[in-house]
Amino acid sequence: LLSADGAAKKMTTHAEADNEVAALKGRFDKVKAVSDEWVAKVDTLLKEWTLLDNTVTELNTWVAKDKSAEGENQFSLEKMESTLGELKNIFKQKEKLVDGL
């Protein structure tokens, strides 16, 4: 669009080209603004999903590692509660982000 604008200004009669370039530039600016907004939303959603995935992976690793020789789970109840609370918060944030789309 910028090069079309530059080429239009070099023409001797460029009123029609100026109008067309201005209209296209206006449309481009609107599309770019919407596109930037969606990219920001998707980036935020990606960060939340990555955090969720990391937390679930950590929880699975922690549960698998904490098995005793007898096969009983020996976890810390406080650690489990804090991890589950973190998962709840992540799910709430994800729901808000998805509702915002």
Side-chain angles (χ1 to χ4, degrees), residues 2-100:
L2 296 177
S3 57
D5 185 39
K9 289 182 180 173
K10 291 179 185 177
M11 301 163 100
T12 56
T13 57
H14 52 78
E16 184 179 326
D18 286 344
N19 292 339
E20 188 175 343
V21 167
L24 291 174
K25 177 80 167 106
R27 288 175 55 193
F28 173 78
D29 290 341
K30 289 177 185 176
V31 169
K32 178 82 169 110
V34 171
S35 173
D36 289 344
E37 181 182 326
W38 276 98
V39 166
K41 287 180 181 181
V42 169
D43 283 343
T44 304
L45 193 58
L46 176 66
K47 288 176 187 173
E48 290 299 322
W49 276 108
T50 303
L51 178 62
L52 176 64
D53 185 48
N54 291 341
T55 304
V56 169
T57 302
E58 177 186 348
L59 182 61
N60 286 338
T61 304
W62 173 65
V63 168
K65 185 172 67 174
D66 280 349
K67 289 195 175 190
S68 68
E70 295 85 32
E72 296 177 11
N73 291 329
Q74 303 291 324
F75 345 91
S76 157
L77 186 58
E78 294 81 19
K79 184 175 179 181
M80 183 187 297
E81 285 178 353
S82 70
T83 305
L84 290 175
E86 187 177 336
L87 282 172
K88 280 180 162 179
N89 290 335
I90 291 170
F91 275 119
K92 286 178 187 176
Q93 290 174 354
K94 178 198 63 90
E95 287 176 354
K96 288 178 187 176
L97 288 172
V98 169
D99 288 343

